[in-house]
Each structure stands twice: as structure tokens, then as C-alpha cells.
Amino acid sequence: MMDFMFAKPNISLDECVVTYDGTYEGLLTVVFECYRLKLAPTVIKPSGAAPQSLFTSQHPIEVTTDNASAKRVVAGIRKYGLQQAVMDVYKTFLSEDSNREMVIFGYLRLLFSIQKPINTRYHVSEVLRVSQLVKQMRREVHRMHAFVRFQELADGLFFAPIEPDFDVLPVTYQHFKARYASMQWCIYDIKRDYGVLYNGQTVEEVKLEEAKALNSVQLPAALLSGKEQDYQQLWRDYFNSTNIIERKNIKLHLRHVPTRYWKYLTEKQ
Amino acid sequence: MNERIQEKLKILADAAKYDVSCASSGSDRAAKAGGLGNASNMGICHSYTEDGRCVSLLKVLLTNYCIYDCAYCVSRSSNDVKRAAFTVDEVVELTMEFYKRNYIEGLFLSSGIFKNADYTMERLVRIAKDLRLVHNFNGYIHLKLIPGASDELVQQAGLYADRLSANLELPSETSLKLIAPEKSYAQVYEPMNYLKEAIVEYKREKKLVKSTPKFAPAGQSTQMVIGASPETDLHILNLSSSLYEEQNLKRVYFSGYIPVSNDTRLPTLVAPPLVRENRLYQADWLMRFYGFKVDEIVDDQHPHLDMQFDPKLVYALRNMHLFPINLQTAPYEMVVRVPGIGIRSAKKIMAARRYTRIHIDLLKKLRVALNRAQYFIDVPGNLLLRKDYYPELIRKELAGETKPQQLALFA
């Protein structure tokens, strides 16, 4: 099997639009195919989202996701950029940035040509962009570690709805799995309509019909465990009592807890 | 709901809120099978109150009954406030249930002193022990060391808590004696010194026997009230520097004095000295992370920190002969001394310059605070350097009294 990283990318003048299924594995397959077919895509977009260019008659090249190819690309990223590059590229994808595909493609092209970590070459625009997006992701992941608020349901499941700015759940749940290993819990991304359910042993992705109707932290009282509302009230009481009125500083408060997160914060209800 | 618990929580959280520390970092306690929680090494602030302070731990007093009458303290015996006391089970339940809901990283437990130091300390330790051994709780625990507590109890506390702290309360013993006549520095230094030795001992044993149980893995901290007594910033920073170097403290906290009584031993303030407190923390940061020595920040000629500008900028203005710095060649120690360049930016610059010329445009992209840095760096594209700057002009420009002329041209 040829190690595709050693194939010199012959970036020709053939410019093209490449589409994929919108998944991470799909994008990695695109990278693989571009090397195999010596393509220099100018646009990489999920199918259906690619703009029709006025100036070319070319049809977009549609790449079919192939997990084996995606795995080989990941192996290549790890080989040259170590685990950090694997995570940085994945987080860049999860950032949902509108230009993420081309940023990742440019980043990987440089990585595969230099063949050692490139994460501090900030003068290269793709490297700088990856570092910025990774930083945004890190901040949002950290916020979710902080702002997730579980509510105990009558059946003992701890449930938390979230609406993060980026798709952070795939790189967030491990923290909760380690911390709440003996509980059963579910964190649900309302915006992206999927969640992570931990049954006390393993984690699985779930889609809940009822979740769409949720638009605040207030779950129907009938669903909650007997003492849940008491603890929520105690937490609000604590939050208010621990404030020092003489030091009031709303600007600082808002910088740390932007209003868009309030909806799911028990103490702000 | 149990209204008694609700009332107790209000009273005992309100009484505990003047303790500044809310750190939940520095510990790496792993989760255990069947247990609840772990400690995140970087710490997590789960919320922020309207005063902008972090809420990371359930910070409560076990009781606000107190035999002491310290003028600065809201729980002093002569103060007419509602009193309450938690039971062991109540504190344990609140900690566990709040933790399960991801409200907190753990517990910060302090107490008014009832009967005597050991009697109080023994109860604090019992709660930590109960959480760890009975409830298999592996979240963060910060216990207050009661001044005068015996070595045995301090040792016990270290076995169950992540962090311990004994508060100096005031920046000098003279002030302490005046405001808190029953307390002395010796009472505070005693448990602090014991703990310091015990932590050294633990680390030695840990090297030999890997299974040695954890002992205060997040170290110890202390706190002092600022603005209730006449000490200068020079005095305060010298004290905190010695606490870091000699007592191996992890943190020294400053608490801007908030008038909690009209006791004549205390000054009357219109507002708490929040700017001064902030400047002291900035100076503290410079000492802990930026390699500054106290006398580079304050000295006999300048015993107080500048209230208008941060201490790093003031340092640069006083040492114009060291600048501008060539960012392509300067050592890291000097790069971090440039106002507007923090630790992260400095590291990025050090890494990036191996591959490229550091140009002002790159600094912009790296989001260096150029409004301050531009006066102190020698990099291509920095047009400001052509001007013959002197400290007073930089001060004026940064205060917005004069416009930076070159910037206006190229903005």
C-alpha cells in the first residue's frame, strides 16, 4: 500500500470544487482523494452547499466518504504533527467555521510537505487560523465544563441541555465521563439536536424527540426527582448570598458569564 | 423544603464570602471506582457573581458563632448578626448534591471559632474525612486551618484536603494586634510551617513509595485584608514574596477592605480599594510568572503601586534604557517584560521567530496589545519608534490625553 503522504502533490492549474457529506471522515476522505488524484480544490463544501461558479463549466467532484482512507489521513497527521495536530485539526472542523475545509486542507498540505509539527508557524495563514479556532474551541469547551447544569430526573438520570457556540460535545463529554463515572447522565445539544448519554458504563450518541420542545433550563416539574427543585433553590440562594454587594461589577460579571448562556444556568433563573 | 437548611445556608454563605480564595486548581485527584468526582488541575469556575468573582467551590462556614472579636470580621462576637451552625451531615449533603449537578468543584470550609481552636479544627477535619472515606468524594476540598490548631489535626487535614489555608488577616503583626487583639502571627505561622514541612516530607516519601496517600496536593495559601491598616505596597509585596519563597505558599490573596463595622479601630472608607487590590494582584502575577523581583516593582522611592497604570507598564517607563526590545533576538525573560506582551504571546513570538521575521503585522495577528507594546519593541513596521519618546509622553498618550501621532496616520 502506497503511503500517500510521500506522493508529491502536483498542484496543477486545474481548479475545482469538491463536495463531501459534511462529516469529518468525509473531509478527511477529500484530503485523501485530492492527493491521490492530484487535485487542488479551490472550494470544499458539503454537498448541496457548493456555490455554482459563473465562470467555470466544471461540475463539482463528489467524494464518497471512505473510513479507511480517513484513517490513513489521521495516521499521517499523527505521524508528522503528533497527537496535537490530530486534535487541532479535529477541533478546527468542530468549530463550524465557514471556511474550515480550506483551512484544514491548507494546513495539512503544509504539514505533509514539511513532515514535522507546524503548529507554531503563525506566519502561515492556515496555521494562524487553526490556532485561533482551536483557542475558541478550548474556551467553549471550558465554558461547557463550567456551565453544564444537571437536573435529576425522577428515574435518576441527570439531564443537562446546552447550546454551545460550536459543536463541542465530542470533545467535552470525556471530562464528564471521568467525573461522574458512577452516575447516569445525558448532555443534550439543543441547537444541533443530538446528545451524549452515559449509562454508567459507556457513552452513546442519542437523538431525543422531546428535546426540541426544550427552550430553557426549566424542565417540567413532573419529570424531576422529588428533591431536585429544592436543590435548585438552595443553589440560587447560595449564589445570591455569596455575592458582595459593595463590590458590584456587572461589566466583569457579563464578561465571564455572557447572557447567551443564562438560559441554562440554574442560578440565573 | 427544609427551611432551616435554607436559612443556615444563607447565613453561613454570607459570612464566608469575604474569604477570597476560590481556587480549585493545582490538584490532580483522580476519580475512583464507584466514587463521585475528580479534581481538574486547571480548576473550573462554574459561575460568577454580580461582583465578578468566581464561584468554584461551595464556600461556607461550619458556624459563624465565634469567641473572637476581630474588628474586621463580620462574625466577630460583638456583632449583632444571626448565628447558625451546620451539622456534619448537612455540609456533606449540600456538597454532594451541588457537585452532582455540576454547580461546584468542591467544598471550601471555614469556621468561626467555638470553644477553642482544636475543637473547631477537629470538626472541619471530620467533614473532609467523611466526604472522602464514607462518601467516596474525590472533588476539591479546601479547609481553613484554624490558628492555634494542633499539629495532629493539621496532619489529618492534609490527608483529606487538597488545599489548606491559614489567614494572616493583616499585612503586619502590629496591625493585627490592634484590630484582632486575640490573634497573633505566631498562631498562624505555626500551622503554616508545620504544613510546609509535612508537604516536603510527603513529596520525599512519594518518590520512594508511589502509593503514599496524597497530602495537600494543592498546597497552602493565605489571605490579608488591604486598606484597613497603614502598610505600604512595598511592605505588602515584600511580605507576600517571603511567603512564596520561605513558606512555599501557592497563593497569597489580597482582599480590599469592605467596611463591615463602624469600629473605631478601622478606617472609614467610601468604597473598597478595588483598584489597589487589582494592582497588587498584577504585581503578584509579575513575581510568580514573569520573573520580577519585588524591588523591580516597588522600592523606597516608589513604595506604592501606580493606580493609573499596571505595574509592568510602570516598570518599563522607569527603565526606558532597557527598551526597545528586539523581538527577533531578545531572550524570553525580556520579551515577557514588554508591556502588552503576556506569557502566551511571548511564547508564540519565541516559537514563530524560528521560522519568520517578526513583523508588526504578525504581532497584530497574534493579538498582542500593541497600544502598549508599540513603545517598547524594535520590529520592522513599527513606525512609532521613529519618535523620540519619553515616559511622560507615553503616559499621556496611553491615558488618552494626547493622540499617538503615528498611529493616527496609519490607522
Side-chain angles (χ1 to χ4, degrees), chain A residues 121 145-146 148-150 152 178-180 182 228 231 235 237-238 242-244 247 249 253 256 267, chain B residues 6 17 31 35 37-38 45-51 53 57 59 93 97 99 101-102 105 277 355:
Chain A
R121 298 182 188 233
H145 289 169
V148 158
R149 293 287 178 268
F150 286 117
E152 189 180 20
R179 175 163 290 196
Y180 300 114
S182 55
E228 176 57 31
Y231 288 122
W235 173 240
D237 290 342
Y238 173 73
T242 201
N243 181 39
I244 299 180
R247 298 179 63 108
N249 189 343
H253 172 65
H256 289 306
E267 64 272 26
Chain B
Q6 200 173 5
K17 71 187 177 188
N38 56 12
C45 297
H46 284 271
S47 196
Y48 291 82
T49 39
E50 290 195 347
D51 51 26
R53 298 187 315 150
L57 305 171
K59 195 190 294 182
E93 186 192 334
E97 295 300 331
Y99 193 91
R101 286 162 179 77
N102 205 41
E105 285 296 289
E277 183 193 289
Y355 308 108

Side-chain angles (χ1 to χ4, degrees), chain B residues 297-335:
Chain B
I297 304 169
V298 277
D299 54 30
D300 289 330
Q301 281 171 311
H302 310 92
H304 281 286
L305 293 165
D306 192 295
M307 289 298 110
Q308 189 181 12
F309 293 114
D310 70 85
K312 200 163 131 190
L313 179 68
V314 173
Y315 162 82
L317 291 173
R318 268 188 216 139
N319 293 280
M320 288 299 276
H321 60 282
L322 300 175
F323 298 93
I325 300 281
N326 182 334
L327 291 184
Q328 199 70 42
T329 56
Y332 172 79
E333 295 71 36
M334 281 315 290
V335 175

